[in-house]
Structures are given as structure tokens and as C-alpha cells.
Amino acid sequence: MEAKYRRVVLKLSGEALAGDQGFGINPAVVEEIAAQIKRVRDHGIDVAIVVGGGNIWRGLAGSAKGMDRTTADYMGMMATVMNALALQDALEKQDVDTRVQSAIEMRQVAEPYIRRRAIRHMEKGRVVIFGAGTGNPYFSTDTTAALRAAEIEADVILMAKKGTDGIYDSDPNKNPNAKRFETLAYIDILKRGLAVMDATATSLCMENKIPIVVFNIDEYANIARASFGEAIGTTVGGEAV
Ligand code: UDP
């Protein structure tokens, strides 16, 4: 099968690594995810992963309880590095070459983020895992995915979500008549205030014309299906079709 994409950014929320326990890291789940990533890499597709940290810590939750927001956000970024290392471990166990690049320098555990080096790794067949978000508080890992995708000239962002199979016009857990969009324009996410990703991430993708595929990760094979260009979930682009 002819691959549709040459280079993908896979955004894994922290929750995706937690499995049904909802918190922390479930090694069996990480292993399943890694196996799918291996399939994609074996297909010759360049893979960069941006991993979230919500399974361990979210800055907003900390600041809501009175913590300094910036400190709480740095804690969130640290959490993403823990997830990045778990993913690296699972991938390397399956003989996939990887590099973790951190936006916050921590030389003993990860390379610093260097764009050109990340691209070179992918050209050599390595999977690059981006940890520590953008390195800046007040941002999210969705925005990180948009930023890194633009920087490394990825063809698409594959946004793996837990518990939902795409973007709906209203919350499907509350409204039984909620409809899933097959395609959606970036601007409609902003106009309708859809809670799929934050406005910064959406507008960055819109400005740089980076398509986003939002899909359900509860079926692990979806990672490969989305990477191979199958129309699953919701595709966000310049305009809805
Ligand atoms: N974070 C940040 N700057 C970034 C990326 C992440 O401060 O560029 C912090 C923020 O506190 C966030 C936490 O890291 O809550 C975990 O990231 P995120 O909530 O995006 O993870 P996900 O929801 O994808 O698991």
C-alpha cells in the first residue's frame, strides 16, 4: 500500500498511557502502543511523538489548588518526560531505535531539543519522542504538537484521544444525538468553542495548514490506520467537506 504520509507527528495524551486505570503509566498499554508505532515505522513513515503528561500532573489542576501556575506547569512538563522515557523503553524493547529530545535540558536522560538533529534522527529511521512540551509554562502539549509539526515539516498531526472517536458537535456523553464530524474546518473549532484542543494549538495548525486527524486510541490499531491515511475519526483542515 502506498503510504499517504511521509512524516507524522503522533500526539499521545498522557491518559493514553494510563489505560483504564486512568492514572500513571500502564506498561502493558505502553507496549501495545509501541507495537503500533513500530508497524508505522516499519512502513517507512517518519514518526515523531509528542507525549502529554495529564496521567501524572496538569499545571492547571495544581494552580486551581493554589500553587504558582508556572511551577505547576514545570511539574507538568517533567511529567511528560517520564512518559517519554516509558515510551522509549517500550519501543527499544521492540527493537525500534529512538531518541528522546527534551525542551528542558536534562542531559543525563534526554538530548536537548534540536530541530535539525530531530530531522536527522528520523531520516536514519529513528523514532523521535519530544518531552517537556514547548519548555514554556502556559502552553499545552497539543500546542507542542502543532509547533513541532510545523518545525519538522510533518504532513499531519495524528491526535490520539482516549474515550472518544473524533470531534462531535456536542458532548456525546451528555447528548445521545451528538454527531461526529468526518471533516471539520479549523475555524469551526474556534467558532464553536469545541473542547478538542486549545485555541493556540488550533490557530497554529490553521496558520501553517497542518491537517489534524483526531481518533480513538482505545483501539490501538488506529495508530497505524491513521498513519496509513485511512479516514478514521475526524480530519481537521482548511474547510469541512
Ligand atoms: N505543559 C506546559 N508547557 C508545555 C506543555 C505542557 O506547561 O509546552 C504542562 C502543563 O502544565 C500541562 C502539563 O504540562 O498541563 C501536561 O501537558 P498536557 O496537559 O498537554 O498533557 P495531556 O493532556 O496531553 O496529557
Side-chain angles (χ1 to χ4, degrees), residues 3 24 29 45 75 90 106 117 129 152 173 182 191-192 219:
V29 167
I45 299 171
M75 290 170 66
M106 27 184 124
R117 198 187 264 187
I129 307 165
I152 66 169
N173 296 319
E182 279 182 18
K191 274 195 200 149
R192 291 170 179 255
E219 275 179 53

Side-chain angles (χ1 to χ4, degrees), residues 11-15 51-55 57-60 69 72-80 83 132-142 144:
K11 163 68 212 293
L12 291 173
S13 67
E15 270 183 339
V51 67
N55 55 325
W57 182 264
R58 276 209 176 87
L60 266 179
R69 170 76 192 262
D73 276 343
Y74 276 117
M75 290 170 66
M77 288 183 256
M78 303 290 192
T80 70
N83 287 333
T134 62
N136 303 292
Y138 294 94
F139 284 89
S140 69
T141 52
D142 285 353
T144 311

